[in-house]
Amino acid sequence: MPEQSETPALRIRTALPADEETLAAVDRLTWSPLHAVMPRPQPPYDPFFDERHVPDDYLVAELDGRVVGYLRLALPTSLACNAHVRQIQGLAVLEEARGRGVARALLRVAVEETRRQGARRLTLRVLGHNAPARRLYESEGFVVEGVLPEEFLLDGKYVDDVFMGRPV
Ligand SMILES: CC(C)(COP(=O)(O)OP(=O)(O)OC[C@H]1O[C@@H](n2cnc3c(N)ncnc32)[C@H](O)[C@@H]1OP(=O)(O)O)[C@@H](O)C(=O)NCCC(=O)NCCS
């Protein structure tokens, strides 16, 4: 009898143009006021990829061959004096695939990719009430570098915008 692996195969790869519909679906399915500052997407939906959101900036997570999450790694600005920094501008994992290390794997590849691109810092913004994401980032070496108190009013509650970063 062939040996069965208990660990599902997790693969992280760069996105392709053909991932557009799947990633758009992941984005819609994972929307929540815990992390989103934009209102819940409504049809007709904006395209997932455009001139500023290109497949090359996305890491895709596949579990047993199925796309279950993504991370967007981008330049914080187009300024030459800011080119040594990369920023995580989106991270989402489908609910049914959570708690299995998918986001941690995406983050680790993002750190490697930041290094490979010659940048020296990786930053991100997270809502103050997003405890799962904050715990994940802290456990991967990110520290809080600034807080905009009560920056957003979401679902009737004021929520902090928390800036985190780490060297790579
Ligand atoms: C946050 C999110 C990406 C985590 O994805 P995930 O694949 O389930 O995360 P992992 O399995 O890699 O978990 C890694 C660590 O994150 C933390 N974590 C994840 N889910 C958690 C939860 N529900 N409660 C507390 N900590 C949690 C833990 O530290 C965990 O480590 P552990 O398993 O050793 O305890 C996922 O919950 C998600 O897509 N949330 C909605 C979108 C979002 O908030 N994105 C971040 C925007 S800044």
Side-chain angles (χ1 to χ4, degrees), residues 35 91-93 98-104 130 132 135-137:
H35 75 282
L91 168 64
V93 173
R98 289 185 190 168
R100 292 154 79 174
V102 174
R104 194 186 293 287
N130 192 345
R135 194 162 308 167
L136 164 68
Y137 297 139

Side-chain angles (χ1 to χ4, degrees), residues 3-79:
E3 207 179 307
Q4 301 238 330
S5 168
E6 301 241 334
T7 317
L10 175 60
R11 179 177 170 231
I12 310 293
R13 60 168 174 83
T14 305
L16 299 166
D19 291 313
E20 173 152 32
E21 282 312 309
T22 313
L23 293 181
V26 170
D27 209 35
R28 288 197 294 273
L29 289 166
T30 54
W31 185 94
S32 93
L34 198 61
H35 75 282
V37 290
M38 300 292 283
R40 185 187 286 278
Q42 301 293 338
Y45 302 114
D46 292 333
F48 191 80
F49 294 136
D50 59 27
E51 310 81 61
R52 293 192 315 108
H53 300 79
V54 295
D56 264 359
D57 290 345
Y58 289 81
L59 293 170
V60 170
E62 283 181 2
L63 203 53
D64 290 332
R66 178 175 168 242
V67 172
V68 293
Y70 74 84
L71 181 153
R72 178 168 186 244
L73 182 68
L75 287 156
T77 68
S78 55
L79 297 168

Side-chain angles (χ1 to χ4, degrees), residues 74-79 82-87 89 121 123:
L75 287 156
T77 68
S78 55
L79 297 168
N82 198 200
H84 58 286
V85 181
R86 291 294 177 279
Q87 191 168 51
Q89 295 182 347
R121 262 175 60 70
T123 64

